[in-house]
Amino acid sequence: MPANDACVIVGAGLAGAKAAQALREEGFDGPLVLIGDERERPYERPPLSKGYLTGKDAREQIYVHPPQWYAEHNVDMRLGMAVTAVDPAAREMTLDDGSRVGYGKLLLTTGSAPRRLPVPGAGLERVLYLRRVEDSDQIKEAFQSASRAVVIGAGWIGLETTAAARTAGVEVAVLEMAELPLLRVLGREVAQLFANLHRDHGVDLRFGAQVAEITGSGGAVDGVRLSDGTRIDADVVIVGVGIKPNIGLAQEAGLEVDNGIRVDERLRTSYPDIYAAGDVAHAFHPLLGKHIRVEHWANALNQPQIAAKAMLGREDAVYDRIPYFFTDQYDLGMEYAGYVEPGGYDQVVFRGDVAGREFIAFWLAGNRVLAGMNVNIWDVNDQLQTLVRTAQTVDIPMLTDPQVPLGSLLPDPQHR
């Protein structure tokens, strides 16, 4: 394949599929190759710990496009194949079958992988991680027969799989090293609300817990032993202790890496004609004035549109969307907009019924809204994003008063 007119995407998940779609929608009609090491066509990952895991969503609902879409749009999709090396000087890559593919523009959407738990017994049967659809299938099957589960890690994956397990009638103990779930992400004030949520649904939450060993018999897991000697019985163990970006290809190719593949606001790497998007991209955010890496669905959904435009030379292609994520746990649904580093806020204030779990939380610094989270209150997240984006100071009594329309606090009349 001639290298000078081909766009190649490495990573066939949501970000890769959306990049292929965006390139075609932006008018690129040249060779377009999408390479992925999974055999499944591109799918979305959030359902794997939410609707698909609980059985609410059918398998067909997780896919980004119908199976015929790729052929209809002349996308050369190569599944079950891994790229083993990228040669930026030659503008060429090598695949695991020995073949080579040239490119004019290259987009890396290689995503991330679960961090493994480095303790004895971590390789036992029914010690499970959640990243791919087959992982979700395994966990779903385990919940059908298990009576006791241990979830290690109280991040989003850990809490969502916990909610799915409880919904399936499984007893769950959650082990977390920190004092509260999601403490680094949400801060103490809101993290406590998620601890209360899970306790109200019968979850055994254990904080400050250090796992020493996963125990088993006959090759299968039967429990977890903590560093203080406590042992907890388990028929299945779910490990959710974070993810790490898949930077190996980029690093070996000589691209700048730093908590991911370092890119600018146009999602360009340190090497000409190579771009990165999604979980793996440590991108400069012009509104925040810093590089950030966001491990959430919205980046995989939206960054590829900007990457595609930048690959085609559109000078107005800048990624400055406010970070966004969501979760569904039991009867709680929420959306979050903004970006707050640990300890990077002055106070959290609330509007609405916190005890009844119908409220909006605001993270503030100097009376300026850094982030907002709507819980079981809908059709307000766009307004929260505007409050964050405009960065103007707010009157806190008005902000927290449910009788004051959020729109009246926005600077632009079109949002009122």
Side-chain angles (χ1 to χ4, degrees):
M1 175 185 295
N4 60 2
D5 63 351
C7 284
V8 179
I9 303 164
V10 179
L14 173 61
K18 283 297 182 180
Q21 178 181 332
L23 284 165
R24 289 303 189 218
E25 289 176 349
E26 290 295 326
F28 177 69
D29 60 2
L32 178 53
V33 184
L34 177 60
I35 303 170
D37 60 1
E38 294 189 60
R39 297 193 179 278
E40 295 281 345
R41 74 180 191 273
Y43 58 86
E44 300 196 38
R45 298 192 191 276
L48 304 188
S49 60
K50 299 181 178 71
Y52 182 70
L53 181 59
T54 61
K56 292 180 181 178
D57 297 340
R59 190 183 187 94
E60 195 59 30
Q61 292 177 259
I62 71 174
Y63 294 105
V64 183
H65 298 114
Q68 68 273 15
W69 184 91
Y70 300 93
E72 291 173 353
H73 291 82
N74 296 315
V75 177
D76 179 5
M77 186 165 62
R78 307 186 187 186
L79 299 179
M81 305 188 75
V83 175
T84 58
V86 174
D87 183 346
R91 295 194 179 188
E92 186 177 72
M93 66 191 66
T94 303
L95 276 58
D96 58 0
D97 65 354
S99 63
R100 296 186 177 185
V101 178
Y103 65 86
K105 303 287 184 181
L106 172 62
L107 176 62
L108 299 174
T109 58
T110 47
S112 53
R115 294 186 181 277
R116 299 286 160 170
L117 195 65
V119 299
L124 288 167
E125 183 182 342
R126 298 192 109 185
V127 175
L128 304 176
Y129 295 78
L130 179 56
R131 183 62 183 171
R132 299 188 171 194
V133 64
E134 59 264 30
D135 300 331
S136 188
D137 288 337
Q138 278 189 298
I139 294 171
K140 187 189 306 185
E141 181 181 356
F143 287 168
Q144 292 174 357
S145 58
S147 60
R148 298 160 301 184
V150 168
V151 175
I152 302 174
W156 296 116
I157 292 296
L159 295 187
E160 289 174 1
T161 54
T162 295
R166 292 298 296 130
T167 301
V170 181
E171 296 296 320
V172 184
V174 174
L175 310 179
E176 168 59 44
M177 292 181 63
E179 299 172 56
L180 289 168
L182 304 166
L183 186 58
R184 286 180 55 82
V185 179
L186 299 178
R188 182 174 303 278
E189 299 87 344
V190 179
Q192 184 64 59
L193 301 179
F194 278 89
N196 296 343
L197 170 70
H198 283 271
R199 285 201 176 101
D200 287 350
H201 284 84
V203 177
D204 177 9
L205 294 174
R206 305 197 185 192
F207 298 117
Q210 176 71 50
V211 175
E213 178 188 9
I214 299 176
T215 63
S217 60
V221 68
D222 65 11
V224 176
R225 193 180 310 280
L226 304 182
S227 58
D228 65 2
T230 303
R231 186 182 177 281
I232 306 168
D233 290 340
D235 305 310
V236 59
V237 172
I238 312 298
V239 181
V241 293
I243 61 176
K244 55 185 179 180
N246 292 324
I247 61 172
L249 271 181
Q251 193 165 28
E252 292 171 9
L255 276 63
E256 185 177 356
V257 297
D258 170 24
N259 183 32
I261 303 173
R262 194 173 176 89
V263 296
D264 64 13
E265 67 274 15
R266 291 167 54 77
L267 303 177
R268 299 175 298 191
T269 71
S270 59
Y271 210 95
D273 300 322
I274 301 181
Y275 300 75
D279 281 2
V280 78
H282 189 203
F284 182 79
H285 198 290
L287 294 181
L288 299 173
K290 65 179 74 175
H291 280 78
I292 64 172
R293 188 172 65 83
V294 179
E295 300 169 348
H296 291 293
W297 164 87
N299 265 25
L301 178 71
N302 297 311
Q303 278 188 345
Q305 300 169 18
I306 301 302
K309 291 179 179 180
M311 292 166 74
L312 298 177
R314 310 288 164 78
E315 291 301 323
D316 61 342
V318 171
Y319 191 78
D320 63 355
R321 280 180 175 260
I322 299 299
Y324 167 92
F325 59 86
F326 69 98
T327 191
D328 296 302
Q329 299 173 34
Y330 310 109
D331 56 354
L332 182 148
M334 79 82 163
E335 299 173 289
Y336 176 106
Y339 183 79
V340 182
E341 293 182 324
Y345 64 95
D346 298 337
Q347 61 178 318
V348 177
V349 299
F350 298 91
R351 161 192 287 239
D353 182 2
V354 176
R357 299 190 180 115
E358 291 187 5
F359 64 90
I360 303 173
F362 302 91
W363 286 256
L364 302 173
N367 289 15
R368 182 169 58 88
V369 178
L370 302 179
M373 184 180 80
N374 50 295
V375 174
N376 290 339
I377 294 176
W378 306 111
D379 301 322
V380 297
N381 198 263
D382 286 347
Q383 294 173 321
L384 297 183
Q385 294 202 29
T386 301
L387 281 173
V388 174
R389 176 177 289 277
T390 53
Q392 90 277 11
T393 58
V394 295
D395 180 278
I396 294 178
M398 293 179 66
L399 183 69
T400 57
D401 186 350
Q403 302 305 314
V404 177
L406 274 181
S408 67
L409 305 175
L410 304 179
D412 187 345
Q414 71 177 342
H415 293 291
R416 296 187 180 183

